[in-house]
């Protein structure tokens, strides 16, 4: 989502429309990696070789970082726009399509006990590389991890017209941290 967001743009990609929300952060839970591993194994069974990569991303993938208690996973799918190739298998396993945009699909599963956001992109998509570079930087740098957590805690005090606006509000600090990691936008 590199363009500036507005309600019209979001309405065009959100399967269920905008959903006003508040953000609740939880202290890091050492069980999160195990939740990811269980979901990754499930996704390997469901998707087989259609899943070119499966990675734990987002704040739950960074030890010590407070997060929304939702496991974020990115799966590399050759062509996310070819929904018949993988969507029925994911839906049969309980994954609910939430976002549809060119080259990207996002699903939700596991509610309410172990919620998961599943992002499907082509494996070499810039977003995949950006997610991994950001995760790796936060894992390696305590100062950037603290800055990111402070930013999230500040933003979590607001109400949002949709969770995507919260994510967009974090972008400046994300790109500041990525720049320190040597990231260059293609």
């Amino acid at each position: 989502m590199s363009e500036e967001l507005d309600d019209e743009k979001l309405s065009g990609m959100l399967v269920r429309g905008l959903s006003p929300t508040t953000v609740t952060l939880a202290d890091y839970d050492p069980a999160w990696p195990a939740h990811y591993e269980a979901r990754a194994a499930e996704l390997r069974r469901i998707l087989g070789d259609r899943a070119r990569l499966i990675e734990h991303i987002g704040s739950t993938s960074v030890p010590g970082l407070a997060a929304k208690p939702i496991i974020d996973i990115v799966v590399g799918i050759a062509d996310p726009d070819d929904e018949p190739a993988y969507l029925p298998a994911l839906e049969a396993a309980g994954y609910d399509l939430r976002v549809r945009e060119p080259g990207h699909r996002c699903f939700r599963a596991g509610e309410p006990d172990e919620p998961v956001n599943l992002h499907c992109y082509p494996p070499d998509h810039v977003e995949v590389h950006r997610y991994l570079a950001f995760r790796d930087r936060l894992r390696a740098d305590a100062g950037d991890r603290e800055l990111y957590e402070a930013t999230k805690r500040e933003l979590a005090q607001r109400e949002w017209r949709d969770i995507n606006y919260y994510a967009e509000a974090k972008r400046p600090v994300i790109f500041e941290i990525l720049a320190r990691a040597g990231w260059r936008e293609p």
Side-chain angles (χ1 to χ4, degrees):
M1 288 188 231
S2 56
E3 300 172 22
E4 189 166 323
L5 288 184
D6 60 32
D7 287 358
E8 183 178 341
K9 180 177 178 2
L10 277 174
S11 294
M13 58 189 238
L14 296 175
V15 173
R16 292 180 178 18
L18 276 74
S19 178
T21 190
T22 56
V23 173
T24 302
L25 298 176
D27 289 335
Y28 181 77
D29 184 340
W32 288 337
H35 294 310
Y36 159 74
E37 289 296 339
R39 282 293 177 164
E42 172 191 60
L43 289 165
R44 285 184 199 95
R45 283 191 306 275
I46 294 166
L47 297 171
D49 63 3
R50 291 173 288 187
R52 307 283 174 85
L53 71 83
I54 301 175
E55 291 280 347
H56 190 185
I57 59 170
S59 294
T60 62
S61 72
V62 179
L65 183 61
K68 296 185 311 295
I70 301 167
I71 305 299
D72 286 299
I73 300 173
V74 65
V75 172
I77 297 283
D79 181 5
D81 297 335
D82 182 12
E83 291 182 357
Y86 68 96
L87 185 114
L90 287 174
E91 288 180 331
Y95 287 84
D96 181 39
L97 182 63
R98 298 292 179 93
V99 174
R100 177 184 281 127
E101 60 182 331
H104 173 233
R105 301 296 182 275
C106 183
F107 298 83
R108 186 69 173 252
E111 305 236 53
D113 298 327
E114 293 181 8
V116 171
N117 287 328
L118 176 65
H119 295 274
C120 296
Y121 285 99
D124 288 328
H125 195 281
V126 66
E127 287 293 334
V128 172
H129 295 291
R130 190 182 296 121
Y131 281 137
L132 298 178
F134 187 65
R135 175 199 68 192
D136 293 348
R137 175 65 179 194
L138 291 180
R139 285 177 173 175
D141 190 281
D144 281 339
R145 195 168 45 251
E146 290 168 11
L147 171 63
Y148 187 55
E149 182 170 325
T151 300
K152 293 190 325 171
R153 288 192 183 282
E154 180 181 327
L155 293 171
Q157 296 176 30
R158 297 175 46 189
E159 292 186 20
W160 299 92
R161 289 192 321 272
D162 187 83
I163 194 66
N164 288 288
Y165 287 111
Y166 165 77
E168 186 69 16
K170 295 184 300 180
R171 283 180 76 82
V173 76
I174 289 170
F175 278 90
E176 175 186 327
I177 291 168
L178 281 167
R180 282 194 290 278
W183 176 262
R184 300 288 175 260
E185 284 295 307

